[in-house]
């Protein structure tokens, strides 16, 4: 439910992190996150219905939304690879009924763990999320879809499907190769590894640091000038 913004001097923010496997949410003043499954054919209308049902007892007057597709000028420019159709140009602000900022999901997570300088974020989850942040400017990338080997992309090797096909040992070998290739390509001084499968890397590649999916929530609050729930 949307709160009466006149009652709060501080924005009440709902942060939504939409992934290929799950939708995760938290809002200002809430201690516990909500996590619900997403379906491979999920449309934006279905996502919003699920979110509104799950957060029916929460008050918010702003939304920060991270989605797994190309976002240009605050609107989806492509349909997510691992979800359904109907996302391109969808008016989320109208659908939610409150001011809404939309960003690529990897970019939102990257923003949440940014400390300065030039940082490359690589999110190993359902797919491969990639974002570069340079001197505070967020530059969402689609490097996961670049060709890697045997006419397949980076994402096809190191995403969830690649893990299931290759097995843990071979998957990790390719992950380490991909990290080196992309680090060299973007010449970033700070390399952050995130996504649900980041925990499988042991030890971490030299010169990298790990973050968890909670960084996406920090990034969502930062989009509205806030640091915490």
């Amino acid at each position: 439910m949307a709160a009466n913004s006149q009652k709060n001097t501080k924005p009440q923010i709902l942060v939504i992190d939409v992934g290929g496997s799950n939708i995760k949410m938290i809002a200002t003043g809430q201690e516990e996150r909500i996590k619900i499954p997403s379906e491979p054919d999920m449309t934006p209308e279905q996502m919003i219905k699920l979110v509104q049902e799950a957060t029916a007892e929460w008050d918010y007057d702003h939304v920060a939304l991270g989605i797994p597709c190309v976002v240009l000028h605050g609107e989806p420019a492509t349909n997510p690879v691992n979800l359904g159709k109907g996302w391109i140009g969808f008016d989320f602000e109208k659908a939610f009924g409150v001011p809404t900022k939309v960003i690529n999901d990897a970019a939102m997570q990257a923003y949440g763990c940014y400390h300065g300088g030039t940082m490359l974020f690589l999110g190993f989850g359902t797919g491969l999320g990639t974002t570069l942040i340079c001197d505070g400017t967020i530059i969402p990338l689609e490097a996961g879809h670049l060709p890697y080997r045997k006419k397949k992309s980076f994402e096809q090797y190191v995403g969830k499907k690649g893990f299931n096909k290759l097995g843990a040992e071979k998957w990790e070998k390719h992950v380490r190769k991909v990290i080196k290739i992309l680090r060299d390509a973007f010449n970033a001084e700070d390399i952050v590894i995130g996504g649900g499968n980041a925990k499988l890397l042991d030890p971490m590649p030299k010169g990298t640091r790990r973050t968890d999916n909670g960084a996406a929530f920090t990034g969502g609050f930062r989009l509205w000038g806030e640091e915490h729930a």
Side-chain angles (χ1 to χ4, degrees):
M1 65 179 71
N4 184 344
S5 61
Q6 293 181 347
K7 293 181 180 179
N8 303 293
T9 57
K10 181 179 178 181
Q12 306 297 294
I13 304 164
L14 171 63
V15 181
I16 309 164
D17 180 17
V18 179
S21 302
N22 295 286
I23 306 168
K24 298 172 284 291
M25 296 154 278
I26 198 168
T28 303
Q30 301 298 323
E31 295 183 1
E32 298 293 331
R33 305 169 186 171
I34 293 177
K35 179 179 177 180
I36 56 177
S38 57
E39 299 294 335
D41 58 351
M42 186 176 69
T43 65
E45 292 90 349
Q46 291 170 334
M47 182 275 290
I48 290 171
K49 182 180 179 181
L50 290 171
V51 168
Q52 290 177 333
E53 289 174 350
T55 62
E57 301 302 316
W58 289 1
D59 287 335
Y60 56 90
D61 50 30
H62 293 71
V63 169
L65 174 64
I67 54 178
C69 64
V70 177
V71 177
L72 295 176
H73 309 297
E75 292 186 355
T78 63
N79 286 308
V81 173
N82 299 300
L83 297 174
K85 300 189 182 299
W87 297 76
I88 299 173
F90 187 85
D91 191 339
F92 288 97
E93 186 161 301
K94 180 179 179 181
F96 280 113
V98 298
T100 300
K101 290 187 178 181
V102 182
I103 189 172
N104 172 266
D105 63 332
M108 189 165 76
Q109 187 173 1
Y111 194 35
C113 54
Y114 178 67
H115 299 326
T118 302
M119 183 195 85
L120 176 65
F121 171 84
L122 302 174
F124 295 93
T126 304
L128 172 61
T130 55
T131 297
L132 188 71
I133 303 182
C134 184
D135 297 332
T137 299
I138 303 172
I139 308 169
L141 307 171
E142 289 295 317
H145 301 301
L146 293 174
Y148 173 47
R149 296 183 61 188
K150 299 180 180 179
K151 298 183 179 180
K152 292 185 177 181
S153 67
F154 288 119
E155 181 170 286
Q156 287 174 296
Y157 270 84
V158 300
K160 184 177 180 180
K161 291 181 179 179
F163 180 87
N164 292 337
K165 181 178 181 179
L166 296 169
E169 186 175 345
K170 288 185 178 179
W171 174 86
E172 183 173 352
K173 180 181 177 181
H174 284 289
V175 166
R176 293 181 183 277
K177 286 183 178 180
V178 168
I179 290 172
K180 184 179 186 307
I181 290 169
L182 295 179
R183 170 168 39 195
D184 292 346
F186 292 102
N187 197 29
E189 57 196 14
D190 184 16
I191 310 294
V192 178
I193 309 300
N197 286 333
K199 61 183 180 293
L200 301 178
L201 292 175
D202 185 24
M204 288 289 289
K206 185 177 180 181
T208 69
R209 59 185 173 97
R210 182 188 285 117
T211 190
D212 61 30
N213 288 337
F217 296 119
T218 301
F221 288 113
R222 284 181 174 178
L223 288 176
W224 288 107
E226 301 292 325
E227 284 293 325
H228 305 288

